[in-house]
Amino acid sequence: MITKQSKVYSDKEIHANLNPWVSKWFKKNFESFTPAQKYAIMDINLKKNVLVSSPTGSGKTLTAFLSILSQLTDLSSKRELEDKVYCIYISPLKALDNDIEKNLEEPLREIEKIAGKELGIRKAVRTGDTPPSRRAAMLKKPPHILITTPETLSILLVAPKFREKLSMVKYVIVDEIHSLAENKRGVHLSLSLERLQHHIGTFTRIGLSATVSPLEKVAKFLVGYEYGQVRDCLIVDINYLKKLDMEVICPVDDIIAADPEETNTAMYDLLDHLIQDHKTTLIFTNTRSGTESIVYNLKKRFKDNYHQENIMAHHSSLSKEMRLEAENKLKEGKLKAVVSSTSLELGIDIGYIDLVILVSSPKSVSRALQRIGRSGHRLHEKSKGRMLVVDRDDLLECSLILKNALEGNIDSINIPTNCLDVLSQHIYGMAIENKWDIDYALDVIQKSYCYQQLSKKDFRSVLSYMAGEYTSLEDRYVYAKIWVDYEENLFGKRGKLARMLYSTNIGTIPDRTAAVVKCAGKVVGRIEEEFMEKLRKGDTFVLGGNIYRFNYARGMSVNVSPSSGPPTIPSWFSEQLPLSFDLAVDIQRFRDIMDGKFDYGRSKKEILKFIHDYLYVDYNAAHSIYQYFKEQYLYAHIPSNRRLLVEYYTGFGGRKFVVFHSLFGRRVNDALSRALAYIIAKKYKRDVMISVSDNGFYLSSEGKIGGLEAFKKLNSENLEDILIKAIDKTETLASRFRHCAGRSLMILRRYKGQEKSVGRQQVKGKILLKFVKDLDDNFSILQEARREVIEDYMDVKNAQRVLGWIESKQMEIKQFNTKIPSPFAFNLVAQGYLDVLKYEERIEFIKRMHQAIVKEISE
């Protein structure tokens, strides 16, 4: 049963339950226990499962460790501490693991000093980076606190000698659980925890999370099920005790009227002003290129204020050494500012930061809170954040994020379930451990939250693949990994190299690299694999200032030909964060309220007061939002959660555009637009150009499209089937199938010390994809690749919800024709010209459209 912890313990009660030496150490270093500690420490001491959700800097890590340190100190003082692992700490980041080890160093040393003797409590990090000599030493003298990653834990479960050392594990701490739960690393970990519990019996599970919703779902993910019922878990939710100092700021009085140079100058002046007013500022952008651009421009514009020594970039494309240097300088307080994409969101210790600036919308409330929570890292100190907006859509998004953050409404987390590729990997791991009864193995697997609904049919189909029952796969060098005896109802490992193959190919993060782009046999540049995934035949994009048409991809080589039309996919598309569905629906609700205000003829003063009060924004922001909505209302209609607007517009050279104002986030819009393009292509035998954003999508073609007519053929029942057909021959499916084939060990990334390059994996993936489609269209790993594309990469479930609203008449479809795109369509239409036009020209393009609209509605 999942229950919210309501009992607060006093400092006196907690100290009475701690080892006297540990209690004395705590009193020496801290005045009092934090709220998170007062709610959780006693229950962890009583070996109850606990999920602690509280902001960065609220003492979460110590909450988890204090009882454990106390109990280990007790055992040591009684000379009962064995050479076994008592606690496993798991985090998604190796850097966080190293931090934790360092942070445990001092308490252990000081507690020994207070005790006046050596206690011998050991802690050690074990990850893929740990050298063999250290691993060997751990076997002789295992750490009492093992600090590791999800991948290394699953390797240790199949290592017989080390597995013995895990028999005394009493606690497992999962840090940053929210960032694991939403992807396949979390799915992988949930099965490892069930296998560990099967091996050693019940242990206490402690989850540490930042702001996330719903916490009940994350708690179920942490603890899993027993006999079909969720195991007990206490939720400690301290999220809103830490005060927020959040504001949305706009660099200019009127975003749409200011010229590009003025906006740019104002933005950098504002950034510099904010940085100079604070000791250390952390700036988040949404893309790696945006991160580099801000560092470059600040150094260029304010030469006296910034140099290599006091401002740095931090993102995943930088070398490990560069990232480490930035982290260390931050901790030492040597940096005035650091600019990051997403890499500093998680809780690695980066010292004291007094301001976080988000340049442009972070696309979800939870991400905004996570980022802003990196400031004010001292207890009872406010988290100070400023969201800097760059256009009117951005302003609206950030204003709704601000409202939801201050009111405590957080977007829902999506946890993947029934991932058959991860299941294949674990079945192999289980077979390596020992022989299993088939039904008993299914029972253990279904204890994981992620596999609670796993059907016997899907489980058997994975067993069948792993056992090599698709014999023709051997012609493609895919061999059986396990044996299955259906009469005895057993399965087990096959082959002497099983442990080596498993340990060197474990994990869920796919190998990625850049693809080479060739035009007429000549290399013209490189694009990221994520970008290549988005490309469909006929798509155009910019590379090195030239426009190319995508023809096909072979392995990691992309064939293109020169093109003249506007690019259909902006070059930064693969880096963009998608808008969360919950936030999108909130924006739609706000649009509906505004539509009502205009319909009822409310005065400008009344509406401005409403915007100011409802969204907690200043006058400039409220005025910009008012103008934006008024122009849309007078020129066309305001789309909302009750009205889907379909806009017909003819662009340059007579090109026809059908714009769907479906503000539901890019993942939903990707699903709807692909299904729609498939229906149109089938009917008219022609490809249509699609451009997708968070705010909607458009279809474009030289001739008749029949966009709305095709849209009416979509419904919540047939969407999934149409989408699966629509993605069948895409790079997206080919790429995702390669990832799933890697996870399910169809493609071995490493074999006998040899690495298989991403290019070779991609080629093999495409050959296997074609082969399994012919072999069995319901093949488990093909099924998983399709599920991953439509559920994790796109958002078919919420797309079905949107279609359901239309079917139930909750949402009407309204169509209209325009000579100029309506204000809400500006950014979407301009996106098509994004890469041909420079940023300044694009702003100018939008400005000209805006002036034309103003002229139109004032006549």
Side-chain angles (χ1 to χ4, degrees):
M1 197 172 141
I2 309 291
T3 47
K4 200 161 181 186
Q5 171 64 300
S6 54
K7 186 162 186 195
V8 186
Y9 293 89
S10 68
D11 283 27
K12 195 177 173 183
E13 285 173 296
I14 300 170
H15 280 297
N17 273 274
L18 290 175
N19 174 284
W21 298 330
V22 174
S23 172
K24 200 171 176 183
W25 168 80
F26 188 91
K27 284 174 181 169
K28 189 181 161 194
N29 288 277
F30 304 95
E31 279 178 36
S32 173
F33 291 104
T34 68
Q37 290 159 358
K38 286 178 179 176
Y39 276 106
I41 287 173
M42 290 286 276
D43 287 295
I44 292 170
N45 213 30
L46 295 168
K47 299 191 169 47
K48 290 182 181 176
N49 297 325
V50 178
L51 171 65
V52 182
S53 174
S54 70
T56 309
S58 57
K60 275 200 298 276
T61 314
L62 193 54
T63 304
F65 274 115
L66 205 59
S67 288
I68 296 162
L69 289 175
S70 174
Q71 291 190 20
L72 290 173
T73 306
D74 280 345
L75 287 171
S76 176
S77 64
K78 295 176 195 165
R79 298 192 176 173
E80 290 173 9
L81 197 60
E82 294 183 41
D83 280 343
K84 295 273 175 92
V85 176
Y86 287 82
C87 166
I88 303 174
Y89 167 92
I90 298 159
S91 94
L93 295 175
K94 290 174 188 172
L96 194 49
D97 282 348
N98 295 327
D99 259 4
I100 293 295
E101 190 190 21
K102 276 185 213 152
N103 294 345
L104 284 172
E105 190 89 45
E106 206 173 305
L108 288 171
R109 197 173 54 241
E110 286 188 16
I111 292 164
E112 281 190 341
K113 215 172 172 182
I114 291 163
K117 62 175 180 177
E118 206 173 294
L119 295 170
I121 298 168
R122 296 185 296 272
K123 38 72 186 155
V125 173
R126 171 89 183 244
T127 68
D129 293 345
T130 308
S133 56
R134 291 273 308 277
R135 292 182 201 180
M138 277 183 216
L139 262 181
K140 288 177 190 159
K141 285 217 160 190
H144 302 112
I145 299 171
L146 174 68
I147 300 161
T148 191
T149 58
E151 292 75 15
T152 301
L153 175 63
S154 60
I155 291 172
L156 296 177
L157 289 174
V158 301
K161 288 180 183 168
F162 203 94
R163 203 167 68 213
E164 286 170 28
K165 310 292 181 190
L166 301 177
S167 60
M168 295 292 285
V169 168
K170 297 287 182 282
Y171 298 95
V172 172
I173 301 167
V174 184
D175 205 350
E176 303 287 352
I177 190 168
H178 58 284
S179 77
L180 284 167
E182 59 190 359
N183 56 53
K184 286 190 175 180
R185 287 185 84 195
V187 177
H188 196 278
L189 175 62
S190 76
L191 276 182
S192 291
L193 293 179
E194 293 312 330
R195 283 168 58 193
L196 179 65
Q197 180 137 337
H198 164 260
H199 174 55
I200 64 165
T202 305
F203 51 83
T204 302
R205 303 180 189 215
I206 305 159
L208 305 179
S209 176
T211 312
V212 69
S213 175
L215 279 168
E216 291 72 19
K217 198 173 181 181
V218 180
K220 287 176 186 175
F221 168 79
L222 171 68
V223 298
Y225 289 75
E226 197 74 55
Y227 307 114
Q229 298 296 310
V230 71
R231 294 185 182 109
D232 291 344
C233 185
L234 280 170
I235 292 175
V236 173
D237 183 9
I238 314 287
N239 272 318
Y240 294 100
L241 292 180
K242 191 162 186 176
K243 294 284 180 285
L244 287 170
D245 172 6
M246 267 174 89
E247 281 176 29
V248 173
I249 49 177
C250 182
V252 289
D253 291 351
D254 189 339
I255 308 178
I256 198 94
D259 68 59
E261 191 46 48
E262 186 191 338
T263 307
N264 236 357
T265 302
M267 184 180 95
Y268 283 105
D269 284 347
L270 186 55
L271 277 175
D272 177 57
H273 175 69
L274 287 166
I275 294 166
Q276 296 310 322
D277 270 3
H278 295 84
K279 185 176 178 289
T280 308
T281 302
L282 171 56
I283 301 168
F284 280 105
T285 67
N286 288 345
T287 63
R288 293 184 291 265
S289 52
T291 297
E292 294 291 356
S293 175
I294 284 175
V295 173
Y296 172 78
N297 274 294
L298 282 171
K299 281 183 186 173
K300 186 180 154 195
R301 288 166 187 260
F302 308 97
K303 290 188 177 79
D304 296 340
N305 292 347
Y306 307 101
H307 46 79
Q308 200 54 49
E309 296 307 306
N310 71 356
I311 186 168
M312 288 185 81
H314 189 290
H315 57 74
S316 54
S317 294
L318 288 171
S319 68
K320 187 179 167 186
E321 291 72 28
M322 291 281 285
R323 293 200 306 270
L324 206 58
E325 187 190 342
E327 288 160 26
N328 289 334
K329 279 189 173 177
L330 260 179
K331 279 180 211 172
E332 292 159 14
K334 289 178 181 173
L335 289 182
K336 191 74 185 153
V338 66
V339 189
S340 173
S341 50
T342 55
S343 52
L344 285 177
E345 280 180 358
L346 294 185
I348 53 172
D349 181 13
I350 50 175
Y352 181 70
I353 282 160
D354 50 349
L355 175 68
V356 170
I357 301 173
L358 311 185
V359 177
S360 200
S361 163
K363 300 291 180 182
S364 81
V365 183
S366 50
R367 182 173 272 113
L369 287 169
Q370 173 100 12
R371 289 176 170 186
I372 290 167
R374 302 299 271 148
S375 73
H377 209 145
R378 294 173 190 149
L379 195 64
H380 308 308
E381 204 169 285
K382 280 186 177 184
S383 284
K384 188 173 185 181
R386 298 291 178 262
M387 290 188 276
L388 194 60
V389 298
V390 293
D391 63 39
R392 299 198 292 186
D393 287 332
D394 209 31
L395 170 60
L396 196 55
E397 265 178 43
C398 287
S399 302
L400 263 301
I401 285 173
L402 175 67
K403 177 184 172 62
N404 281 309
L406 295 175
E407 292 177 1
N409 301 320
I410 304 153
D411 4 60
S412 301
I413 190 170
N414 176 47
I415 301 176
T417 56
N418 298 333
C419 306
L420 303 183
D421 51 352
V422 176
L423 179 62
S424 308
Q425 208 175 106
H426 275 276
I427 285 173
Y428 195 28
M430 291 165 84
I432 292 165
E433 283 177 35
N434 47 265
K435 292 177 192 171
W436 284 77
D437 176 85
I438 291 173
D439 296 327
Y440 183 51
L442 177 59
D443 183 54
V444 168
I445 289 160
Q446 285 174 331
K447 288 179 179 181
S448 151
Y449 170 82
C450 301
Y451 291 95
Q452 202 232 340
Q453 304 290 335
L454 179 71
S455 68
K456 201 163 188 173
K457 179 173 167 277
D458 282 346
F459 174 62
R460 293 269 176 159
S461 77
V462 172
L463 274 184
S464 170
Y465 146 60
M466 293 298 287
E469 286 170 25
Y470 292 89
T471 49
S472 55
L473 275 172
E474 291 196 1
D475 299 339
R476 293 282 172 266
Y477 309 104
V478 178
Y479 300 105
K481 309 284 186 301
I482 64 169
W483 54 260
V484 178
D485 184 334
Y486 292 105
E487 282 183 21
E488 295 290 322
N489 209 40
L490 295 172
F491 71 87
K493 74 165 172 127
R494 186 183 275 200
K496 292 183 178 133
L497 297 172
R499 189 170 292 112
M500 184 274 290
L501 287 180
Y502 181 78
S503 302
T504 52
N505 288 280
I506 198 82
T508 60
I509 303 167
D511 296 336
R512 286 189 181 274
T513 188
V516 174
V517 180
K518 290 181 179 177
C519 182
K522 187 177 161 222
V523 175
V524 290
R526 289 171 174 270
I527 55 172
E528 290 183 345
E529 189 188 335
E530 297 101 306
F531 185 71
M532 184 177 82
E533 275 182 26
K534 311 264 185 320
L535 298 172
R536 282 166 295 187
K537 191 175 178 178
D539 273 341
T540 51
F541 62 96
V542 171
L543 186 62
N546 298 313
I547 301 173
Y548 295 100
R549 179 185 189 276
F550 172 70
N551 299 324
Y552 60 83
R554 290 220 174 98
M556 297 309 288
S557 177
V558 173
N559 180 281
V560 297
S561 46
S563 177
S564 55
T568 56
I569 301 188
S571 60
W572 43 259
F573 190 87
S574 63
E575 292 185 39
Q576 278 286 67
L577 298 166
L579 181 70
S580 82
F581 182 73
D582 293 350
L583 180 57
V585 171
D586 264 355
I587 298 170
Q588 293 271 46
R589 284 196 199 104
F590 176 73
R591 282 178 168 189
D592 189 45
I593 297 168
M594 288 292 283
D595 191 38
K597 302 270 179 208
F598 287 116
D599 271 348
Y600 288 115
R602 300 283 183 251
S603 70
K604 180 178 179 179
K605 191 179 173 185
E606 272 182 283
I607 298 176
L608 279 172
K609 186 179 184 318
F610 162 74
I611 298 170
H612 175 74
D613 294 345
Y614 188 79
L615 295 178
Y616 309 102
V617 293
D618 64 14
Y619 179 78
N620 278 353
H623 188 262
S624 283
I625 291 169
Y626 171 80
Q627 282 299 123
Y628 192 23
F629 276 82
K630 188 183 176 189
E631 285 161 19
Q632 179 71 23
Y633 180 81
L634 292 176
Y635 182 68
H637 302 275
I638 294 178
S640 67
N641 60 326
R642 295 196 296 163
R643 179 188 290 146
L644 175 68
L645 206 56
V646 181
E647 178 175 348
Y648 291 85
Y649 151 70
T650 304
F652 302 130
R655 194 171 183 90
K656 306 232 177 331
F657 289 85
V658 184
V659 182
F660 286 80
H661 289 263
S662 52
L663 197 162
F664 296 109
R666 190 183 300 111
R667 291 172 61 227
V668 166
N669 288 334
D670 203 350
L672 293 173
S673 62
R674 287 207 197 209
L676 204 47
Y678 178 79
I679 292 171
I680 293 165
K682 288 275 286 184
K683 181 166 183 184
Y684 295 106
K685 301 286 181 282
R686 78 155 68 93
D687 284 335
V688 288
M689 194 169 106
I690 300 175
S691 190
V692 178
S693 79
D694 287 315
N695 288 20
F697 61 91
Y698 70 65
L699 309 174
S700 172
S701 173
E702 302 291 347
K704 186 171 165 57
I705 305 174
L708 188 55
E709 187 190 324
F711 189 77
K712 286 176 178 170
K713 290 198 167 81
L714 277 182
N715 58 54
S716 52
E717 296 292 314
N718 69 10
L719 177 66
E720 195 167 317
D721 290 341
I722 290 171
L723 205 46
I724 282 170
K725 286 173 188 154
I727 63 166
D728 194 54
K729 290 184 171 65
T730 60
E731 281 302 318
T732 313
L733 181 66
S735 197
R736 297 288 161 147
F737 178 80
R738 192 261 292 174
H739 299 166
C740 295
R743 288 186 203 105
S744 61
L745 310 169
M746 281 183 89
I747 296 174
L748 296 175
R749 293 177 286 172
R750 291 161 200 91
Y751 183 67
K752 292 186 177 178
Q754 295 289 308
E755 294 265 344
K756 184 171 279 180
S757 72
V758 178
R760 283 181 62 206
Q761 287 179 43
Q762 190 79 334
V763 170
K764 181 154 190 191
K766 284 202 171 170
I767 293 166
L768 280 174
L769 176 59
K770 187 178 182 311
F771 190 77
V772 298
K773 277 182 187 171
D774 294 339
L775 185 68
D776 177 2
D777 201 51
N778 292 316
F779 183 73
S780 55
I781 308 307
L782 173 58
Q783 211 176 305
E784 173 55 27
R786 287 170 175 154
R787 187 211 63 78
E788 187 179 315
V789 172
I790 68 170
E791 286 185 21
D792 302 347
Y793 171 65
M794 296 177 197
D795 186 356
V796 69
K797 299 260 167 66
N798 282 321
Q800 285 168 326
R801 275 176 73 187
V802 171
L803 292 171
W805 294 338
I806 293 167
E807 287 155 33
S808 65
K809 305 280 189 289
Q810 274 178 266
M811 184 185 270
E812 62 161 345
I813 296 176
K814 185 97 181 169
Q815 56 180 315
F816 71 108
N817 298 305
T818 56
K819 288 187 284 184
I820 311 151
S822 70
F824 282 10
F826 285 179
N827 275 329
L828 184 57
V829 172
Q831 184 173 286
Y833 303 98
L834 249 182
D835 279 341
V836 201
L837 303 173
K838 289 189 189 133
Y839 174 75
E840 290 78 8
E841 290 170 346
R842 173 178 164 260
I843 304 282
E844 199 53 50
F845 175 67
I846 290 175
K847 209 167 134 185
R848 279 205 309 274
M849 286 199 288
H850 174 250
Q851 284 160 355
I853 292 274
V854 171
K855 191 179 170 199
E856 192 84 19
I857 58 181
S858 57
E859 280 175 3

